[in-house]
Amino acid sequence: MRAIQKLGTGKAQLTDKVPIPSYGPNDLLLKPLYSGICTTDLHVLYHGMGREEFPLTMGHEVSAIVVGIGNNVDTYVGSDRKIKVGDRVTVEPLFPCEKCDPCLQGKMNLCSNMSHLGIFDEGAYADYVRVPSHRTHRLPDGVSDLAGTFIEPLSCAINFIDKSQMKPGNFVVILGGGSIGQLALQVALASGGKVILSEPVAKKRELALKLGAHAVIDPINDNLIERVKDLTDNKGADIIIECVGVPATVSQMLKIVKRGGRCVLAGAPVKPVEMDFLPLWYGEVELVAAHATAWQFPRAMTLIELGLVDVEAALEQIVPFTEAVRALEEAYKSNEIGKMVIKHN
Ligand SMILES: [Zn+2]
Ligand SMILES: [Zn+2]
């Protein structure tokens, strides 16, 4: 079968010489339809995230058809619905050990022995992929094959808002208008927030306005701190959601949050960040992190079905499978480019 494999840092290839995966009694064999390219995939390919033995088949945001069912698998977890060949599904790509302390507390996203589709385990950029059956969700009729690939990033965005504990009517600033920032924006709007998005790329600011942002800020040419003050009656924002993970945006959080407000670190801070913590202390600001997703998938599908979130809004290109390697390179090189999704056939 075909697969897009990481061979080493910055090196990916398309091959057609990978055997179709075997699957165990508790697994499903899936045939992917669409796969997303996200920043995490770029961290895997270019920044050494994940497994260090290669080749590694990449990809973790996927919609797929069930083509094989393990002998012990009967129904979808948490339901009495039988799993059938031909069902459309998406996959929670984090595979928890279910034995460690965070797992036993239900915090699967914090598992200390986790595996992960396309990061530690063979991923979805392939003609077939094996997954543990209990990490799959059947796609409802109201969620298209294409939208199915956005359930994972949308679930992450819901986790950001969950961690923020925002309330209807709160003033929310989202730092970063990439595809995940645009999803966080829509979830915050759907939850009753008054939302400002800060983003240097003009077309991403325009998209945010189209999606209903109350205001947008260009952090390069505008004074972010002054603009937030203006927009919030000098108080600062109730909630900050940081969706980039670079030192410049991470350190901005405490400068624009109000006293008693809450900051969510949602972008992966892959480099050390120097910060002035005095405002955190004076203002009893709560600083929390949101890592991946746990238990948000069903709500993500409901938001799509209700039409409260347009997951395809930030979609820029649907890329044929044969051009996936080029698309990964392009996504890495350009900060302007929106979301790219691979079409498998
Ligand atoms: Zn992702
Ligand atoms: Zn665990």
Side-chain angles (χ1 to χ4, degrees):
M1 68 170 190
R2 300 173 307 165
I4 309 294
Q5 296 177 320
K6 174 183 176 181
L7 301 176
T9 303
K11 258 193 263 165
Q13 72 165 6
L14 165 64
T15 168
D16 59 1
K17 298 199 167 39
V18 178
I20 294 178
S22 54
Y23 55 101
N26 298 311
D27 296 334
L28 298 180
L29 185 68
L30 305 180
K31 187 163 178 46
L33 300 169
Y34 290 95
S35 293
I37 293 180
C38 98
T39 311
T40 303
D41 300 308
L42 303 177
H43 287 320
V44 169
L45 183 53
Y46 292 97
H47 301 144
M49 187 185 273
R51 196 175 83 194
E52 282 172 12
E53 290 131 50
F54 308 114
L56 166 76
T57 299
M58 298 176 58
H60 65 276
E61 297 176 1
V62 64
S63 65
I65 298 275
V66 176
V67 293
I69 303 174
N71 290 334
N72 289 350
V73 178
D74 183 12
T75 55
Y76 285 102
V77 172
S79 82
D80 56 4
R81 191 184 282 272
K82 293 251 180 246
I83 296 185
K84 299 190 307 295
V85 166
D87 277 355
R88 298 181 316 127
V89 294
T90 187
V91 183
E92 292 212 39
L94 194 150
F95 302 155
C97 76
E98 292 170 54
K99 294 183 185 111
C100 72
D101 180 60
C103 278
L104 294 176
Q105 291 182 46
K107 297 176 179 171
M108 309 305 206
N109 57 328
L110 309 185
C111 173
S112 31
N113 313 303
M114 72 170 79
S115 187
H116 196 295
L117 192 68
I119 300 179
F120 297 103
D121 207 342
E122 299 305 313
Y125 295 167
D127 287 331
Y128 297 93
V129 59
R130 174 212 75 90
V131 297
S133 67
H134 69 288
R135 299 302 282 167
T136 59
H137 295 266
R138 203 181 69 91
L139 292 177
D141 293 343
V143 176
S144 69
D145 297 345
L146 181 57
T149 194
F150 288 88
I151 307 286
E152 193 267 349
L154 178 58
S155 301
C156 293
I158 295 174
N159 188 25
F160 306 164
I161 305 302
D162 285 351
K163 290 290 181 301
S164 81
Q165 298 178 1
M166 73 162 280
K167 297 180 180 65
N170 272 171
F171 228 115
V172 181
V173 175
I174 293 178
L175 299 171
S179 55
I180 194 78
Q182 304 283 353
L183 291 173
L185 164 78
Q186 296 183 71
V187 178
L189 288 169
S191 312
K194 193 169 183 185
V195 191
I196 307 170
L197 185 126
S198 167
E199 161 62 45
V201 177
K203 74 171 185 189
K204 296 182 181 178
R205 290 197 302 275
E206 281 157 29
L207 175 62
L209 285 173
K210 218 175 83 190
L211 291 170
H214 171 70
V216 290
I217 299 174
D218 172 356
I220 307 293
N221 297 305
D222 293 341
N223 184 326
L224 175 75
I225 299 169
E226 290 305 317
R227 283 290 316 279
V228 172
K229 272 189 184 166
D230 284 352
L231 289 159
T232 58
D233 213 10
N234 258 340
K235 290 196 282 269
D238 299 289
I239 307 283
I240 314 295
I241 314 268
E242 197 286 334
C243 294
V244 190
V246 301
T249 43
V250 174
S251 58
Q252 275 163 354
M253 292 193 291
L254 295 177
K255 296 177 183 157
I256 54 176
V257 69
K258 79 172 192 187
R259 291 192 169 201
R262 201 166 166 95
C263 298
V264 180
L265 179 62
V270 288
K271 287 190 188 130
V273 181
E274 203 170 293
M275 273 174 88
D276 176 8
F277 278 103
L278 205 55
L280 178 126
W281 183 76
Y282 270 128
E284 287 196 346
V285 171
E286 292 179 76
L287 172 58
V288 296
H291 174 239
T293 162
W295 313 118
Q296 282 93 359
F297 268 54
R299 284 190 287 147
M301 294 192 280
T302 302
L303 282 187
I304 295 174
E305 282 186 293
L306 290 173
L308 289 170
V309 171
D310 174 8
V311 285
E312 290 164 37
L315 176 64
E316 178 143 338
Q317 271 182 48
I318 296 180
V319 182
F321 191 81
T322 49
E323 285 176 40
V325 173
R326 184 228 3 119
L328 284 160
E329 281 167 13
E330 222 174 284
Y332 182 63
K333 283 185 192 137
S334 166
N335 154 49
E336 303 254 336
I337 211 152
K339 182 78 176 180
M340 292 200 271
V341 168
I342 298 163
K343 187 172 191 301
H344 281 253
N345 275 303

